[in-house]
Amino acid sequence: MMQYESPPIRPPSESRSLLVRATRYCPWGRCIFCYGVLWDYRKLELRQVEDIKRDILAMKSHADMIRRWAADNNAEDRIEQLAIRNNVLWLSNEGVKTAFIGDSDSLVMKVDDLVEVIEFMYKTFPTLERVTSYARAKTALKKTPESLKRLHEAGLSRLHLGLETGDDQVLKFIDKGVTSAEMIEAGRRIRESGISLSEYVLLGIGGQQWWQRHAEGTARVLNAIDPDFIRARTLIAVPGTPLYDKVVSGEFKKLTPAGILKEERLLIDALDVTSEFVSDHVSNYLPLNGKLPEAKAHMLQLIDKFMAAPEEVRDSYLQPEELRHP
Ligand code: SF4
């Protein structure tokens, strides 16, 4: 049987990764901007380890079937193409290199269970080089430093955390359920365990009212953590979310695209980190990427140059959010 579940979301950097669904939905489910609420994200479900392993074996069978077909047809140098054609994006000519565990907070699992799943993944796919997952800062804080180290030793390479903002007022407004102090502590603890850390920033989530404190507070938290990656996302108010209702009622006033770039400039300028800054999401306006602090001047220059361009040129790039996708 080659049926297996896949997580509904994953970071863009994991688009070619083996996607393993270890839990379903989110243990929090209250962030007002999160379109996960549309999929009933409030109902966390823990899957049985045996069911997860069955899925992993089913994916292995799928890969073996493609490899066998390639061998029988003298096409071993085209395994990747064949796999993509069969919607198997995670198989390359050299095997499976990267994997992602979903859904939104795998640390909610018992450490023994998560270790068992990760070790089984490496055993089943010996070419694996990286296993990553999403996690909530609050859940990470419930794990001891020893547990996090154990997960790292088992092969958990990276955790993706949604910081969104480092400002406590905005964190409260979006009902993130975590304070900035907890964000800092969780980030530091993950880094100390040896697990690589990717923090996501949500540009525009302070709206017109709090854009400045959002940028400054976020820089403050990121400076205290110094994560391996800072990934920028731009707010899209998706119909069906509580944030969308606040936009419609006028309670939340969104920034204009130019306002978003002004906010991003303030954030980048205030960063004092050694992180890789990444804009790898379709929601972002400018491709601001680079290793900090070296790339800071170039990124700021790019924003300034863009903002100085004639309005009609700028506007042709700054599409309203209705034309972008979450
Ligand atoms: S923690 Fe993440 S998945 Fe859960 S509600 Fe918040 S943004 Fe959505």
Side-chain angles (χ1 to χ4, degrees), residues 20-29 41-49 52 101-115 117-118 132-144 147-148 151 156 159-161 190 195:
V20 174
R21 194 172 205 188
T23 60
R24 298 189 190 100
Y25 316 126
C26 170
W28 181 243
Y41 251 39
R42 276 169 196 241
K43 294 184 193 160
L44 173 78
E45 289 175 20
L46 294 172
R47 298 188 69 209
Q48 297 294 317
V49 170
I52 304 166
I101 304 174
D103 287 350
S104 61
D105 187 13
S106 307
L107 288 187
V108 81
M109 291 171 71
K110 284 187 190 146
V111 175
D112 285 349
D113 289 353
L114 188 50
V115 164
V117 167
I118 294 168
T132 75
S133 184
Y134 281 132
R136 283 192 78 222
K138 198 85 167 188
T139 313
L141 283 178
K142 289 187 185 140
K143 300 289 182 227
T144 61
S147 302
L148 291 171
L151 288 166
L156 183 60
L159 284 171
H160 297 269
L161 261 72
I190 290 168
I195 298 171

Side-chain angles (χ1 to χ4, degrees), residues 69-83:
W69 193 94
D72 292 347
N73 291 278
N74 205 17
E76 278 159 310
D77 57 341
R78 286 187 286 122
I79 290 175
E80 193 166 324
Q81 285 163 269
L82 289 167

